[in-house]
Amino acid sequence: QGQNQAVRRTRIQTVVRDALKETKLPPALNDILVAHPIPAAVSRFRLGFLNDVGDETSHFNVWSSGLWISTATGSSAAMTAAGGKLMDLNSSELQYMVREHLLEAGGEHLKKKGHGMLQPGNTLQMRWNSQHGCVYVDGNHVRHNLQLGDTVSFSADAPPVWVFEKPGGSAASPASSSSEGPAEVMGS
């Protein structure tokens, strides 16, 4: 048997800015969910796309049940279940998807803008337009509350994590396991 190989996995960097401070959330290995804390409530936000020098290239307003952002590692879970694309584990892109996008008559052209890939170096920026909201990092264990007017930025700029996998095997995420036990994780 050969040596385990260290493979790089992208993580999501999330920064929340309110009127008084900026908060850098822990990097997410799998996914981020931004939604109203009451699941039946509508989430309202403005979604903008920033290029690698920070200039906004486009934006649109959203009424929905929230937003998913995932790495390649997390794309096989909630993102794929929601209709997203299963990504190659070696990809450094982030995938985003507006959840249950509510579109007005004549707004069908926005449906395609609500799902796509974010290239490394670019940023997805959200202005939260509901009274209350939450950012959930890799499930419900890390949660950051939002209020009207907060700005949330998402990018692949977080330090990567290195995962050891067995040679010739599939690139497993740290949370996956096989008959031989879970993959080993080396911190960033």
Side-chain angles (χ1 to χ4, degrees):
Q1 296 222 4
Q3 293 284 328
N4 289 346
Q5 300 171 316
V7 292
R8 181 183 186 276
R9 294 290 175 249
T10 298
R11 295 193 295 174
I12 305 168
Q13 182 64 68
T14 305
V15 178
V16 179
R17 290 176 189 87
D18 63 26
L20 302 174
K21 65 186 177 304
E22 177 177 290
T23 304
K24 189 183 274 191
L25 301 182
L29 177 61
N30 294 304
D31 55 33
I32 298 281
L33 170 63
V34 185
H36 195 284
I38 299 171
V42 172
S43 297
R44 295 185 307 270
F45 53 91
R46 179 182 184 269
L47 198 58
F49 302 88
L50 308 180
N51 62 21
D52 57 354
V53 293
D55 295 330
E56 186 173 84
T57 57
S58 68
H59 69 270
F60 62 101
N61 291 316
V62 177
W63 285 41
S64 72
S65 63
L67 179 72
W68 283 116
I69 301 103
S70 81
T71 62
T73 304
S75 71
S76 64
M79 183 63 76
T80 302
K85 172 183 150 189
L86 183 61
M87 299 167 64
D88 180 303
L89 285 173
N90 296 313
S91 175
S92 295
E93 296 175 311
L94 300 180
Q95 184 173 181
Y96 64 91
M97 177 182 280
V98 173
R99 300 173 63 216
E100 300 170 336
H101 200 169
L102 303 171
L103 298 170
E104 297 178 12
E108 292 80 18
H109 65 286
L110 294 176
K111 187 165 181 81
K112 282 188 176 182
K113 285 182 128 181
H115 179 227
M117 306 301 280
L118 187 67
Q119 301 302 313
N122 293 344
T123 302
L124 189 62
Q125 190 170 65
M126 166 190 281
R127 181 191 186 278
W128 190 251
N129 292 330
S130 293
Q131 287 295 318
H132 305 284
C134 292
V135 179
Y136 300 94
V137 179
D138 280 336
N140 65 345
H141 302 292
V142 177
R143 171 182 145 167
H144 185 86
N145 292 326
L146 298 176
Q147 59 187 350
L148 180 66
D150 286 356
T151 301
V152 188
S153 300
F154 310 95
S155 69
D157 293 342
V161 67
W162 292 87
V163 179
F164 288 100
E165 69 179 20
K166 301 194 181 317
S170 64
S173 71
S176 72
S177 63
S178 68
S179 59
E180 298 178 18
E184 299 174 51
V185 179
M186 181 170 64
S188 56

